[in-house]
Amino acid sequence: MAHITGREIALEALLLITRDGEYSHIALKEVLDKYQYLEKRERAFITRVVNGTLERIPELDYIIDWFSRVKVHKMKPVIREILRSAVYQIKYMDSVPTSAACNEAVKLAVRKGFGNLRGFVNGVLREIGRNMQEVEYPKEGIPYLSVRYSLPEWLVRQWLSEYDADTVRRMGEEFLKEKPLAIRCNTGRGTPEELEAQLHREGVAVTREPSVHGAFYIAGYDYLEALPSFRQGKFYVQDISSMKVAGRAEVQAGQYVIDVCAAPGGKALHLAELLNGTGHVEARDLTALKVSLIEENIERSGLANIEAVQQDATVTDESSFGRADVVLADLPCSGLGVLGKKPDLKYKMNVQMQERLVDLQREILATVRHYVKPGGKLIYSTCTIHRAENEGNAAWFASSYPEFALVSQEQMIPGRDAGDGFYIAVFQKENA
């Protein structure tokens, strides 16, 4: 059998995501784990092609439709992904000659059993390679923003109803930028300065994020698991905006905290760290798999004041009534604040799903409010920029349960604030 190429592996991942509905980060990890012998350069190429193609599907489809008599939505999934990824390489990867992108795409079509379409693939791509600059983009309004920033039209429409056009443009731009990985120092295993020095020794490029103590951006490494500092639990991968949640809780020594949807555990671990060896954090989640992810991170952290527990946040746990100083409800949401990291979410989400999520968030908030002590806090957070899930639900909660006062709320906007799009609301329960 012929040697499997990087482009073939990228195609495998793209089909897992677009045809089979797998999440992009899971599909990419799956294929890269399957072909572990690949060199760093090949892995980087595959990752770039997969993420880049996914990020820009609306624009790539617009370009293909400009030149092809068969429209993208009518193509066979394999041919569609071969063309999309080839057009991405032609337009966005300077290191790839147009001829190579065309030739490799034709070979791929033949290898995947579509030899009868080799002429079609070749013709469309050669035409695009020669005449890309002739494509006329929409000039204004929703079609312009949709194609220019590769956002589904329904989403552009929603954002324009909630934010001004300039903010929507800025978010669109931010989501398409390549960004380094954000990490947070585990202060139980050393100071931020010591971590920075170790990462430098490991050949990693490190930049500090001034808005959060112990936060860094890292780049230039191959495999995270290959870094001794990661294996030793010296840091966690966590977005900057997500790091702000634990700070908003303002935990005091000895407090009891329940994180009701904790996996993979970043915020719960942060809270346990801030308790400085005192108190207790109960990190809950729905499935055994999610609990095992939390346990893995607890083990790496070396923290003793935190445990992982399997518990459905929609099911009332009477044994927890009135026990927690802080309840953290970082709830399932539409994820529209993290499109820069998970570009496939913008194709999976729709208005009906958002409405169901608003209901689920309300159901969980109505359940977990019981666990807050008189005088205690409930923190509600999401990684979205959708107002109904954020300010809308905070207003609903405050009016439905007047014993909770809304102390503060903050919507973080990609391109304006550091990190992902994120929302945090802090409620204080009145003293009985």
Side-chain angles (χ1 to χ4, degrees):
M1 187 182 151
H3 170 71
I4 189 160
T5 66
R7 285 178 176 84
E8 194 168 347
I9 295 168
L11 175 63
E12 193 178 319
L14 284 167
L15 286 167
L16 275 173
I17 298 156
T18 60
R19 183 189 63 195
D20 306 338
E22 187 53 274
Y23 284 104
S24 58
H25 61 293
I26 295 171
L28 199 51
K29 186 179 184 326
E30 209 173 285
V31 295
L32 290 176
D33 285 352
K34 189 167 151 188
Y35 304 104
Q36 275 191 353
Y37 57 82
L38 293 168
E39 286 179 16
K40 180 178 177 177
R41 216 171 101 249
E42 192 82 70
R43 304 171 77 81
F45 174 81
I46 292 163
T47 303
R48 170 88 192 271
V49 169
V50 172
N51 286 338
T53 302
L54 272 180
E55 250 172 13
R56 297 189 184 262
I57 284 174
E59 183 190 20
L60 300 172
D61 287 0
Y62 186 86
I63 293 167
I64 296 166
D65 279 349
W66 188 268
F67 293 100
S68 173
R69 56 185 162 71
V70 181
K71 298 309 168 201
V72 171
H73 71 277
K74 291 199 165 156
M75 292 176 185
K76 291 181 163 44
V78 172
I79 297 298
R80 186 188 300 139
E81 297 313 325
I82 287 174
L83 287 177
R84 280 173 174 169
S85 56
V87 174
Y88 176 75
Q89 291 164 55
I90 292 167
K91 185 161 171 61
Y92 288 106
M93 294 180 73
D94 296 339
S95 59
V96 179
T98 298
S99 57
C102 295
N103 295 338
E104 294 301 322
V106 173
K107 283 186 203 164
L108 208 43
V110 174
R111 283 189 68 162
K112 293 297 170 190
F114 293 97
N116 59 324
L117 293 175
R118 68 201 299 171
F120 169 72
V121 170
N122 189 46
V124 171
L125 290 176
R126 299 257 170 225
E127 188 72 15
I128 290 172
R130 277 195 302 269
N131 303 306
M132 178 88 78
Q133 65 291 347
E134 287 176 21
V135 177
E136 285 177 30
Y137 281 64
K139 294 281 187 283
E140 58 190 356
I142 290 168
Y144 165 76
L145 291 166
S146 172
V147 175
R148 173 68 183 79
Y149 300 112
S150 283
L151 296 163
E153 287 201 356
W154 75 266
L155 189 52
V156 175
R157 202 171 291 115
Q158 183 176 90
W159 286 355
L160 286 172
S161 73
E162 300 182 350
Y163 300 97
D164 61 81
D166 195 46
T167 301
V168 174
R169 240 193 326 272
R170 203 186 305 173
M171 292 195 294
E173 266 168 26
E174 188 66 19
F175 286 139
L176 292 174
K177 282 182 188 164
E178 206 171 322
K179 286 186 263 323
L181 189 72
I183 62 164
R184 180 174 60 75
C185 174
N186 174 4
T187 51
R189 292 228 192 263
T191 66
E193 291 71 25
E194 286 163 350
L195 172 63
E196 192 174 5
Q198 181 171 350
L199 285 165
H200 281 309
R201 288 196 300 276
E202 291 168 3
V204 179
V206 189
T207 316
R208 287 187 178 221
E209 166 50 56
S211 69
V212 180
H213 176 70
F216 299 98
Y217 297 106
I218 60 169
Y221 58 92
D222 179 16
Y223 228 5
L224 204 57
E225 287 80 3
L227 297 176
S229 51
F230 177 78
R231 292 200 305 272
Q232 293 156 5
K234 301 274 182 77
F235 68 85
Y236 313 102
V237 174
Q238 192 179 4
D239 187 72
I240 303 299
S241 50
S242 158
M243 294 179 201
K244 294 181 177 173
V245 174
R248 297 289 185 278
E250 297 175 327
V251 287
Q252 311 293 317
Q255 286 190 330
Y256 178 64
V257 178
I258 301 175
D259 182 346
V260 297
C261 295
K267 299 176 196 71
L269 287 160
H270 198 180
L271 286 160
E273 246 176 74
L274 293 172
L275 285 168
N276 233 333
T278 72
H280 189 73
V281 177
E282 195 171 299
R284 301 177 171 184
D285 222 305
L286 180 59
T287 64
L289 174 67
K290 287 189 165 184
V291 170
S292 72
L293 288 175
I294 302 169
E295 282 170 342
E296 215 173 279
N297 280 320
I298 291 174
E299 199 173 320
R300 269 193 335 108
S301 77
L303 294 166
N305 61 341
I306 176 170
E307 65 171 328
V309 175
Q310 190 174 344
Q311 168 78 33
D312 182 342
T314 64
V315 175
T316 305
D317 168 27
E318 291 186 9
S319 67
S320 295
F321 277 26
R323 287 186 58 204
D325 297 285
V326 175
V327 168
L328 171 56
D330 181 65
L331 300 188
C333 71
S334 56
L336 300 174
V338 297
L339 296 183
K341 294 192 180 81
K342 299 178 179 176
D344 50 322
L345 288 182
K346 59 190 173 188
Y347 315 121
K348 286 181 162 63
M349 192 46 59
N350 58 46
V351 173
Q352 292 73 28
M353 286 167 76
Q354 285 181 327
E355 285 166 0
R356 288 201 294 275
L357 283 162
V358 168
D359 291 341
L360 174 65
Q361 290 151 357
R362 290 181 178 193
E363 185 187 352
I364 294 174
L365 289 170
T367 304
V368 305
R369 70 189 165 89
H370 292 295
Y371 312 154
V372 185
K373 267 182 188 170
K377 289 190 181 116
L378 179 120
I379 316 258
Y380 172 52
S381 63
T382 74
C383 58
T384 193
I385 45 193
H386 177 218
R387 287 199 192 277
E389 295 175 71
N390 296 344
E391 294 94 335
N393 268 348
W396 166 83
F397 186 75
S399 68
S400 303
Y401 306 103
E403 69 275 22
F404 284 91
L406 179 59
V407 177
S408 68
Q409 61 177 333
E410 182 184 359
Q411 175 68 65
M412 285 160 257
I413 300 287
R416 184 192 72 189
D417 306 304
D420 293 329
F422 208 88
Y423 174 78
I424 307 171
V426 179
F427 296 92
Q428 180 116 30
K429 188 176 182 179
E430 64 188 24
N431 269 305

